[in-house]
Amino acid sequence: MVQLLEAAARVFATTGYTAASTNAIAREAGVSPGTLYQFFPNKEAIAIELGSRLMHEMRQSYDEVLTPITPDTTPLEEVIAGTVDRFIEFNCRHPAFFALMHGPDIPGRIAEEHDALHTTLVARVETILAPFTPDAPPAAVTRTAQMCVGIYKAGLELILAHEGDEREAYVQELKGALVRYLEPLMGTS
């Protein structure tokens, strides 16, 4: 089954969910379509299993990276750099994650899990931002967290579209954009 999921990840990453087929996944895995069907009844089932595994791993990353910090001991730039680097590394290691989470025709169950993951991400970012903005109303902190996640997602798409030095340049641009956005809001400029 792992071989099939790894093959599916490669196919989804290169063609997207919509254009992928069970035949292409079986071919990539080096097995017959019949063998694939012994484990998964269709492409959607493969995507759901792969998406669930990747979302579980992403949640673990959230738990490790998105922890409350003390503004007096952790500079904003350090928080942003550590968080962005970890999530970029995850998405570069698992390009199928972006294809499955942001494709136009992803299965409903994946969309629901992604929405829950997004809600968790925003809540975790709020937890990080709150100590930096102790006087801000909760709605303002939520908006700021939503904007940070939106900026990150837009930057991620550009980062994944490039490689090497150009990719790293986009990573630095993303970090800079987040710092420039947050500094005035947090009074750290």
Side-chain angles (χ1 to χ4, degrees):
M1 178 167 24
V2 171
Q3 177 184 354
L4 293 170
L5 292 174
E6 289 172 353
R10 290 188 297 273
V11 171
F12 291 146
T14 56
T15 66
Y17 174 77
T18 303
S21 69
T22 53
N23 285 340
I25 294 167
R27 190 171 37 256
E28 180 71 23
V31 301
S32 71
T35 300
L36 182 144
Y37 289 124
Q38 289 176 355
F39 294 95
F40 299 103
N42 54 38
K43 175 177 74 170
E44 181 176 342
I46 298 168
I48 289 169
E49 179 65 26
L50 178 61
S52 292
R53 287 174 183 229
L54 292 173
M55 281 188 263
H56 175 73
E57 188 175 334
M58 179 56 92
R59 280 188 195 95
Q60 289 178 315
S61 292
Y62 286 4
D63 291 343
E64 293 168 10
V65 176
L66 298 174
T67 58
I69 49 113
T70 307
D72 297 339
T73 60
T74 310
L76 177 64
E77 295 84 0
E78 189 178 309
V79 174
I80 290 171
T83 304
V84 167
D85 286 344
R86 180 66 179 266
F87 291 142
I88 296 299
E89 185 272 330
F90 174 87
N91 279 279
C92 288
R93 200 166 19 99
H94 301 293
F97 183 77
F98 189 84
L100 286 175
M101 298 306 126
H102 304 286
D105 296 323
I106 60 174
R109 182 164 160 209
I110 290 178
E112 290 168 11
E113 287 187 44
H114 176 263
D115 290 348
L117 190 68
H118 176 84
T119 300
T120 301
L121 175 58
V122 170
R124 297 299 284 275
V125 172
E126 286 178 60
T127 301
I128 290 173
L129 294 175
F132 285 95
T133 57
D135 299 328
V141 176
T142 299
R143 274 193 304 279
T144 302
Q146 289 277 18
M147 285 300 297
C148 288
V149 172
I151 292 167
Y152 166 76
K153 284 183 177 181
L156 177 61
E157 189 168 359
L158 289 167
I159 290 163
L160 293 177
H162 294 86
E163 294 181 2
D165 290 342
E166 196 62 17
R167 176 177 280 171
E168 185 54 34
Y170 276 100
V171 169
Q172 295 310 313
E173 286 292 325
L174 173 58
K175 290 175 185 177
L178 286 166
V179 167
R180 288 188 300 276
Y181 169 65
L182 289 171
E183 279 181 337
L185 299 171
M186 298 184 172
T188 58
S189 58

